[in-house]
Amino acid sequence: MASVQDHYITLEGSASIIHEYLKYSVHSIIFQRGVYPSGDFLPEKYNDVPVMVSQNSKIRSCIDHITGEVKELIMKKLISKITVCIITLDKAEIIERWDFNIKPQYENEEVSDKPLSKIQSEIREVMRQIIATVSFLPCLEERCTFDIMLHTASNIFEEQPNMVSEYLEEDAASIEVKNAQTLRIKQFDTGLYKVETEVTYRKADA
């Protein structure tokens, strides 16, 4: 799951752990929320938790590519959040938003002695809660798609010039959900980074 040397988690190892968490979380969200037909998904074991993963090659490639970019940005402290937006096809309206806040917890020390088993246990709890959200989040009555947005440092295009052609800068107000309610999911940390997850959704009576 991550590179571990002498029982220490490295910065690269932390980035790998977060990368995998984000990848499987996105797959789980778009399955749980019915964004695509359930027949397009097959179960995979992630950290001993069964997670439904899209078998659509375009969707898999998109998720792999973006979360792969996140891994590099984490190591350079160039990213603070990744947002998964669920958007109606008809009106292109954002009706649900999943925010994954990524907060560094180190200054000069770039290794963590937090046991990997403890990190994995925390992630299992988070994943189970994400999967369980389907029981109370309002049903999506409209056909939807999803988009993934990166919240990056102001100097991102100077540090990563290759990203200029792939990503556009978005106004934070453009991803607000109207008549919304927010639920905070459990968090986990690698000893070097803390990841806080929350979902903001449009209330059913909107």
Side-chain angles (χ1 to χ4, degrees), residues 95-99 177 180-183 198-202:
I95 57 174
E96 191 169 296
R97 189 183 75 238
W98 291 77
D99 291 318
V177 179
Q181 189 164 316
T182 298
L183 170 71
E198 62 184 27
V199 55
T200 299
Y201 57 96
R202 188 173 66 183

Side-chain angles (χ1 to χ4, degrees), residues 37-57:
S38 59
D40 290 352
F41 294 77
L42 287 176
E44 289 186 16
K45 273 285 187 73
Y46 164 57
N47 207 3
D48 291 327
V49 177
V51 177
M52 300 301 287
V53 175
S54 175
Q55 301 304 296
N56 183 297
S57 60

Side-chain angles (χ1 to χ4, degrees), residues 27 30 36 40 54 56-64 146:
H27 280 285
I30 63 175
Y36 297 103
D40 290 352
S54 175
N56 183 297
S57 60
K58 290 184 178 180
I59 294 173
R60 289 176 69 105
S61 178
C62 171
I63 294 172
D64 287 347
F146 78 102

Side-chain angles (χ1 to χ4, degrees), residues 144-161:
C144 295
T145 185
F146 78 102
D147 193 13
I148 303 176
M149 301 178 183
L150 309 182
H151 303 253
T152 56
S154 59
N155 61 334
I156 181 66
F157 294 130
E158 297 173 18
E159 297 287 335
Q160 302 281 116

Side-chain angles (χ1 to χ4, degrees), residues 13-109:
S14 287
S16 295
I17 289 169
I18 297 170
H19 160 252
E20 281 201 347
Y21 166 70
L22 292 172
K23 180 177 71 173
Y24 281 101
S25 292
V26 175
H27 280 285
S28 184
I29 289 164
I30 63 175
F31 171 76
Q32 297 292 336
R33 305 305 287 131
V35 176
Y36 297 103
S38 59
D40 290 352
F41 294 77
L42 287 176
E44 289 186 16
K45 273 285 187 73
Y46 164 57
N47 207 3
D48 291 327
V49 177
V51 177
M52 300 301 287
V53 175
S54 175
Q55 301 304 296
N56 183 297
S57 60
K58 290 184 178 180
I59 294 173
R60 289 176 69 105
S61 178
C62 171
I63 294 172
D64 287 347
H65 175 66
I66 296 177
T67 56
E69 293 274 17
V70 170
K71 179 180 175 181
E72 297 300 317
L73 297 176
I74 289 171
M75 295 177 62
K76 296 178 180 179
K77 287 188 175 181
L78 291 174
I79 190 165
S80 60
K81 183 192 298 185
I82 176 172
T83 295
V84 179
C85 294
I86 296 180
I87 309 164
T88 61
L89 284 174
D90 185 29
K91 299 180 180 179
E93 180 183 5
I94 296 175
I95 57 174
E96 191 169 296
R97 189 183 75 238
W98 291 77
D99 291 318
F100 300 87
N101 299 289
I102 303 168
K103 299 181 178 181
Q105 295 181 289
Y106 70 95
E107 293 183 5
N108 299 319
E109 190 69 22

Side-chain angles (χ1 to χ4, degrees), residues 113-176:
D113 60 0
K114 183 170 182 176
L116 181 59
S117 60
K118 175 64 174 173
I119 300 169
Q120 291 172 328
S121 177
E122 290 178 2
I123 292 174
R124 279 194 290 273
E125 290 301 310
V126 178
M127 290 303 302
R128 290 186 180 116
Q129 194 172 5
I130 289 175
I131 292 169
T133 57
V134 70
S135 65
F136 60 83
L137 288 176
C139 293
L140 302 180
E141 303 292 346
E142 303 169 70
R143 290 186 61 200
C144 295
T145 185
F146 78 102
D147 193 13
I148 303 176
M149 301 178 183
L150 309 182
H151 303 253
T152 56
S154 59
N155 61 334
I156 181 66
F157 294 130
E158 297 173 18
E159 297 287 335
Q160 302 281 116
N162 61 301
M163 295 184 67
V164 174
S165 60
E166 292 189 74
Y167 299 97
L168 299 174
E169 292 188 87
E170 295 277 356
D171 182 355
S174 68
I175 62 172
E176 288 301 312

